[in-house]
Amino acid sequence: MKKEVLLAYFPKLTFHRSQQLLSAFGSYDAAWQASGEALKKAGWDEGLVQEFLSWRDKLDEKKIEAGLTTEGINGVAESDAAYPKLLKQIYDPPLTLFVRGDLTMNAPALAVVGTRTSSPYGKQVTE
């Protein structure tokens, strides 16, 4: 599984922080394997580094992959050809899009962007 997809699950990963990782390590795969000291040198503070390392150690990659497969969801990383070009141009583009269905841009598309834990009202309006 692409590390960009897994990193998208880290609650405190912002666009700026993802760019720090990419700049410091050259790839998200290398960043994923980084030590605490290396992450600090990349510009992350001690608290964030410890939180990330703890989160990474507890993460069940196989469970995430199985869940995405079961739900028919694909993780489309910013580096993928399928990632929308216009979306890359916004100020704070998402590192990964979680897509159910086809992401071709030949027809009008609908995207729902929101919180990971939606309210009953949010669910009703989306439906």
Side-chain angles (χ1 to χ4, degrees), residues 32-59:
W32 185 262
Q33 299 299 324
S35 68
E37 278 305 310
L39 290 167
K40 287 181 209 171
K41 289 179 183 176
W44 284 19
D45 67 51
E46 176 71 29
L48 182 63
V49 168
Q50 291 308 316
E51 191 171 340
F52 174 74
L53 294 175
S54 175
W55 171 84
R56 184 180 70 184
D57 290 343
K58 293 176 188 172
L59 187 74

Side-chain angles (χ1 to χ4, degrees), residues 48-98:
L48 182 63
V49 168
Q50 291 308 316
E51 191 171 340
F52 174 74
L53 294 175
S54 175
W55 171 84
R56 184 180 70 184
D57 290 343
K58 293 176 188 172
L59 187 74
D60 186 344
E61 186 173 339
K62 291 183 189 297
K63 183 177 179 181
I64 289 174
E65 191 168 17
L68 292 174
T69 300
T70 299
E71 294 295 325
I73 297 172
N74 294 315
V76 179
E78 188 182 15
S79 60
D80 292 340
Y83 194 95
K85 290 177 184 164
L86 289 175
L87 191 55
K88 288 182 180 185
Q89 296 176 16
I90 67 171
Y91 172 74
D92 191 8
L95 181 61
T96 302
L97 299 175
F98 292 94

Side-chain angles (χ1 to χ4, degrees), residues 12-22 44-45 48:
K12 294 196 176 175
L13 188 76
T14 62
F15 178 73
H16 175 71
R17 288 177 179 149
S18 70
Q19 293 306 297
Q20 284 177 313
L21 293 176
L22 196 54
W44 284 19
D45 67 51
L48 182 63

Side-chain angles (χ1 to χ4, degrees), residues 82 84 102-110:
D102 187 16
L103 193 58
T104 58
M105 300 307 284
N106 297 336
L110 171 68

